[in-house]
Amino acid sequence: MAEEAEAILEVRGLVKHYPLTQGVLFRKEVGSVKAVDGVDFTLRRGETLGIVGESGCGKSTVARMLVNLERPTVGSIKYKGEDITRLSGRALKAVRRNIQMVFQDPYTSLNPRMTVGDIIGEPYEIHPEAAPKGDRRKKVQELLDVVGLNPEHINRYPHQFSGGQRQRIGIARGLALRPEVIVADEPVSALDVSVQAQVINLMDRLQNEFDLSYVFIAHDLSIVRHISDRVGVMYLGRIVEIGRDAEIYDHPTHPYTQALLSAVPVPDPEARAHRERIILAGDVPSPTNVPSGCRFRTRCWKAQERCAQEVPTLAVPPHLGGDPTGPAAHDSACHFAEEKQVVRAEPRP
Ligand SMILES: Nc1ncnc2c1ncn2[C@@H]1O[C@H](COP(=O)(O)OP(=O)(O)O)[C@@H](O)[C@H]1O
Ligand SMILES: [Mg+2]
């Protein structure tokens, strides 16, 4: 992926706090859920940015803000240089058309009472300018074909399809308006392992065919490996490490990334024998009560006094020369970032 490609999405200081209230009649704010707590990244044209992190770390909240289903508490999301969080009315609608979402669970995200034709064609009801009424059926049939489904099945209902086929329907709906960006929120997590690769391969092919840029969310590093150009690792509402996929997988510097990688299944027995399994202490803290300083410190084997006091910034660590052009350069938010090869990503020749 050319590093110089145009920035299509620029996310800066993105925050979403949900107020936590008590009482029914006199609702009193007693705190907040810090679902997303300062996220920065750039998505370039034609690239796939994988976002990975455990359940509850704020991935879906980021996704919903990217497609404008939700407004950030603070922060900006620039689409081709324009902050979409400040748009409304027509301007917002026009931008929304270009940034579409594919949802996690194809079993619950497709209305069971609608035919696949109506499901895939639904975006045309919201954006009638995208396709004249007379063309819509043909367009939907083309979309079915593009995602590998039989165009003659246009009048069937979701329950007549398998999980993988349903996610293809969800993807076809995402493509209907010919968007530039697709935010896929764990698109394969609800599918059988055997079907996951097929759906990922389809998305890979569609990316080239339709010149798409992807934000591809998963809770597991192994899922995004093959589709991502860059990967960002999230923990408790923040990105802790982000960079080109080979840097993240082969030269992880944040202890949390190292722990996640140590849990990824390794098919190669030789590599498996050499890997070190990192077991983290305790559970993820509640987003209503985020630790001071480095939010990962309560589970980190490297934590020291400084970690409780100083929030680490996401930057190229000093041991990589602090030089953003260095060979293994990528950003890590750890005061004690250092390389640790957890798993040899590819078996030795
Ligand atoms: N509408 C909401 N109101 C209150 N808390 C929420 C809301 N949506 C999400 N959260 C909380 O925000 C945190 C992040 O959630 P989410 O973005 O769904 O994480 P993920 O997708 O990574 O599993 C969780 O603790 C979740 O309970
Ligand atoms: Mg989620």
Side-chain angles (χ1 to χ4, degrees), residues 54-61 63-64 104 185-186 217:
E54 286 165 281
S55 176
C57 72
K59 306 180 297 294
S60 295
T61 306
R64 287 197 302 272
Q104 171 167 7
D185 186 8
E186 302 205 39
I217 295 169

Side-chain angles (χ1 to χ4, degrees), residues 287-305:
T288 57
N289 192 11
V290 174
S292 66
C294 172
R295 58 194 59 213
F296 181 62
R297 72 177 162 84
T298 54
R299 305 177 73 198
C300 183
W301 65 94
K302 281 185 179 171
Q304 296 181 27
E305 195 54 37

Side-chain angles (χ1 to χ4, degrees), residues 31-46:
S32 64
V33 181
K34 297 178 169 65
V36 176
D37 207 20
V39 161
D40 301 83
F41 63 79
T42 299
L43 178 72
R44 296 188 179 276
R45 182 180 287 284

